[in-house]
Each structure stands twice: as C-alpha cells, then as structure tokens.
Amino acid sequence: MPSEPKLTRLAFAVSESRGRRYPEPPHPYRNDFQRDRDRVIHARAFRRLEDKTQVFSTRYSDHFRNRLTHTIEVTQIARTVAQAMGLNGDFAEALALVHDVGHPPFGHTGEKCLDEAMRAYGERFDHNVHALRIVERFEQRYAGFPGLNLTFEVREGILKHSRDYKPGELPPVYDEYLLDQRPPLEAQIIDLCDEIAYNTADLDDGCEARLITPAEIAGEVPVFREHFARVEATWPDAAEKLKFNEALKSLLDSLAGDLIENSLAVIRASGVETIEDVRRYPQRLIAFSSEMGARNAQIKKMLTRTLYRNPVLNPERERGAAMVSELFRLYMEDPERLPPSHRDRAKTETLCHVVCDYIAGMTDSFVGKTLAEIAPAIQ
Ligand code: MG
C-alpha cells in the first residue's frame, strides 16, 4: 500500500463534469464516465484495434500483443494506479480504453507514413487529434447525435493525455480543450501507464520473438537483473520461462508502485489543493521518481536498439510503410477509388484529410485487402 495517504479530493468527480456536447438524460445505474467507458468498448474503432499492429504483426506469432490487448493491459494498470492514488477509477478506465483508438494500421511506421504524406500537403497527422475526430464524428452509432457524445473530460483527455500542446499548435477549433492548462490527474496517469504496459510487454514479446534473451536483458538493464536475481533466489528450480515471467511481473509491479508513491509525494509537495490547482500547475504532477525514471529509460534504450530499430524487422516495417504510402497516393490520384461515403466528404473537405482519415481507420489486413482490390498489380 502507498505510504502516502490517498488524495481523494483531487479525484475528478463525475458530478463536476462539464457534460456532453448533446445533453442526455442520466442513466439509472451508470454514471457518465461509466457510460463513456461502455460507449468506447462498443465502438467500431475499438474493435478494429484487434487487427492493428502494436510492435509485432501477427505474421510471426499469435502470442504477441496487438493494439487491443495492449489497450486492455494499459487499462488494467491505469485503473489500479488511479484507485491506489484515490483518483476516479471509472474516468481513468474510460481514458485508457480510448487512448489508442486513433492509431493507424502498422504501428508507428503507419503513423510516420501518414504524417509524411500529409506534410506534402502542408498538413500533419496526430493520432490523438485523430482519436478525437473518431469519437466526435466518425463513429455513427446513435440516432440523436454524431460520434459517441463523450463527456468533455474524456474528450479533453483523449487530446491531452500524452502531452501538452503549445499555443497555436492546433487549429482554433481545439481551443475549447483548455490547451493552456494541464488535464486532470486521471488523464495525466495514462501516458505513464501506457509506458509501463508497453515496456514490460515488449520485453516479453521480444523474448518470444527470440530477438532478445532474458540473460541479455539482465546484462543491460540493472532493474530487471535485480528482479530476476530475487526470483532465482526464491525459485531456483523453476523453469526459465517461469522465472522470466515472475521477474517481468515483479518489474511491472515495481514500476506501477513507484509511479503511485512518487506521484503522491510530488502532489503533496506541490501544494495543489483542488482540481483547478492541478489544471493551473505549470507541470504535470504524475511522474516516476528520478531513480525509477532513469531505470525505465534503460529499458527503453534497450528496446529501441533490439526491437524498435532492429534491422531484422525492416522488411516488415518497409512492407507496411509501402502499403500505406501507395494507398494514399492511389486515392489522391483518383478520388473515385474511395468508397461513396468518403467521396461525398471530399466534396466539402480537403481531399488529403478525407484520404488520411480513411486510411488511418483501417486495420492492417484491410489495407492489404483494399490495395489488392484497387491496384491488384502492386500486390
Ligand atoms: Mg498505447
């Protein structure tokens, strides 16, 4: 249990929400953040995460995380961290579930490709902005309003959970999201819970893919070495795979524990008393301790070299990049190739945005299927 008392006064109470864009009567037994969570789970963009690459595509193993299972892991960590700190678990859960819905196919490769394609037209692609567009416009499920009609705070958290924006960085239409202020603490925890989830999961998937070994991780990452040594002392005869799992589990727990304890200490030292103080505070208040931050950076450094930039994965990355770029080019060359609903949008909106939104929403396999249909010779 955290040594610091909980900070329930800084939990964002659902009764304080600025509400929905289109007012709705209250539900008899679910509060507004619980309803937001459920709307996200029932959204098509959420289901499509199952076929979107996180780091590894399913071409090599069906044990790897995809973006849906990653999202579930982030949600589990975020709910635990929020509740241990005395924050609003429902709010954190809704934010964690929705945090990756704006990711395009083929992971960061796909994201980089779309951004480059958009830059050629003087525009950018940002997955958080895209996620907001999905929940505001592209999900069509309700008769009374476009999008999911989520509460203001969940929409704000979608935009701002991973970073703050500089003044003027986004078009004025996003000014309503208080871009000069920090988001509530429940939104601030999401980015580091995301990091805990993917750092530990990528070590696991990296070993499963045989790109790294537990011994190499122990050699390069002192924090893992310590956890592994404790596991070896406790279960010297256990199977290697189980020792690795135990060490990883214990590492994840220590990262989450440090995040909880250190953030509580930072908040206490900051003197913030109200959510308004959190919003006006010059920095974010959720952080690892400097010691754990440095140890976490060592994990990241190893993963970058052995996984994210490993040349072995280049053909996989290049294949994804080539498909996204080619599809973008084909639609820009002839918008008649777009499905009718997107062709209609292109009559009133910039074509590059319509094309980018359409491709960003695709799953990995739908990109391949679509390319095969509209340009069979390329496949
Ligand atoms: Mg994520």
Side-chain angles (χ1 to χ4, degrees):
M1 285 299 289
S3 54
E4 298 274 347
K6 290 183 176 184
L7 292 167
T8 40
R9 71 181 188 286
L10 296 178
F12 197 99
V14 68
S15 56
E16 296 298 309
S17 171
R18 292 174 195 223
R20 306 183 187 282
R21 207 181 282 289
Y22 303 88
E24 294 179 52
H27 190 274
Y29 49 84
R30 287 180 303 158
N31 70 44
D32 279 345
F33 289 150
Q34 291 169 337
R35 290 177 90 183
D36 282 2
R37 170 201 63 200
D38 299 346
R39 286 176 189 196
V40 170
I41 290 173
H42 288 270
R44 294 209 314 189
F46 184 76
R47 290 197 293 280
R48 288 199 301 261
L49 294 174
E50 186 184 11
D51 187 17
K52 291 201 179 201
T53 294
Q54 174 68 14
V55 173
F56 296 103
S57 76
T58 48
R59 293 176 88 202
Y60 300 111
S61 166
D62 52 6
H63 294 159
F64 297 145
R65 273 80 178 172
N66 58 46
R67 219 162 263 284
L68 180 62
T69 63
H70 158 73
T71 293
I72 294 168
E73 292 181 0
V74 175
T75 305
Q76 173 266 311
I77 297 166
R79 193 172 39 218
T80 301
V81 168
Q83 285 168 351
M85 290 182 68
L87 301 175
N88 187 329
D90 291 335
F91 182 20
E93 186 177 17
L95 287 167
L97 285 167
V98 79
H99 90 280
D100 263 359
V101 295
H103 265 289
F106 303 115
H108 287 285
T109 304
E111 185 174 10
K112 207 167 136 234
C113 253
L114 278 184
D115 190 46
E116 275 166 14
M118 288 298 273
R119 278 170 191 256
Y121 297 91
E123 303 287 345
R124 299 294 307 267
F125 176 78
D126 174 319
H127 72 264
N128 290 333
V129 172
H130 186 68
L132 194 55
R133 287 155 65 74
I134 289 172
V135 304
E136 287 260 76
R137 288 184 54 192
F138 304 145
E139 284 289 329
Q140 296 290 340
R141 304 183 49 80
Y142 302 91
F145 43 78
L148 304 180
N149 198 28
L150 302 178
T151 55
F152 172 85
E153 291 74 20
V154 170
R155 284 181 281 128
E156 180 199 17
I158 289 172
L159 192 62
K160 288 159 59 177
H161 71 268
S162 52
R163 68 180 180 101
D164 294 324
Y165 289 87
K166 293 189 275 296
E169 194 180 342
L170 292 177
V173 68
Y174 296 103
D175 286 354
E176 68 168 308
Y177 294 111
L178 317 171
L179 297 183
D180 57 335
Q181 298 180 18
R182 258 35 69 209
L185 294 171
E186 288 83 351
Q188 294 191 32
I189 67 171
I190 300 301
D191 199 43
L192 289 174
C193 293
D194 189 19
E195 201 162 317
I196 293 172
Y198 67 65
N199 277 347
T200 50
D202 291 348
L203 289 175
D204 193 20
D205 287 351
C207 284
E208 178 83 20
R210 303 190 190 289
L211 292 174
I212 42 175
T213 64
E216 282 164 354
I217 302 170
E220 212 170 306
V221 181
V223 67
F224 180 81
R225 182 160 65 237
E226 289 162 26
H227 287 280
F228 198 78
R230 272 201 293 276
V231 169
E232 283 214 294
T234 314
W235 290 290
D237 301 325
E240 287 305 310
K241 176 67 187 162
L242 297 183
K243 285 187 206 172
F244 175 65
N245 283 349
E246 287 291 341
L248 211 51
K249 181 166 74 77
S250 162
L251 172 63
L252 192 159
D253 201 43
S254 73
L255 287 164
D258 180 88
L259 185 67
I260 294 163
E261 297 252 4
N262 187 68
S263 300
L264 287 172
V266 169
I267 291 162
R268 195 157 299 279
S270 73
V272 303
E273 292 290 336
T274 65
I275 290 163
E276 203 48 38
D277 293 343
V278 170
R279 284 191 169 286
R280 300 279 173 197
Y281 202 71
Q283 298 102 37
R284 294 186 173 227
L285 290 154
I286 301 294
F288 289 122
S289 64
S290 52
E291 193 197 0
M292 191 60 96
R295 295 174 141 220
N296 187 49
Q298 289 168 328
I299 304 177
K300 234 178 174 162
K301 193 171 161 219
M302 179 180 195
L303 287 170
T304 302
R305 184 175 56 75
T306 58
L307 259 64
Y308 311 143
R309 296 202 185 134
N310 191 326
V312 169
L313 295 175
N314 280 352
E316 179 84 355
R317 281 191 282 262
E318 283 160 12
R319 177 180 162 269
M323 290 167 89
V324 168
S325 304
E326 185 59 6
L327 203 51
F328 196 97
R329 191 190 67 76
L330 286 165
Y331 284 136
M332 291 304 292
E333 181 186 84
D334 183 5
E336 288 300 309
R337 290 172 170 140
L338 288 163
S341 58
H342 290 79
R343 270 200 308 261
D344 286 349
R345 260 190 70 203
K347 287 174 191 153
T348 52
E349 292 176 56
T350 326
L351 179 62
C352 68
H353 279 290
V354 176
V355 170
C356 182
D357 288 336
Y358 184 44
I359 296 174
M362 292 181 181
T363 59
D364 293 7
S365 58
F366 191 74
V367 170
K369 192 170 149 260
T370 308
L371 262 179
E373 272 168 19
I374 66 174
I378 296 163
Q379 285 295 288

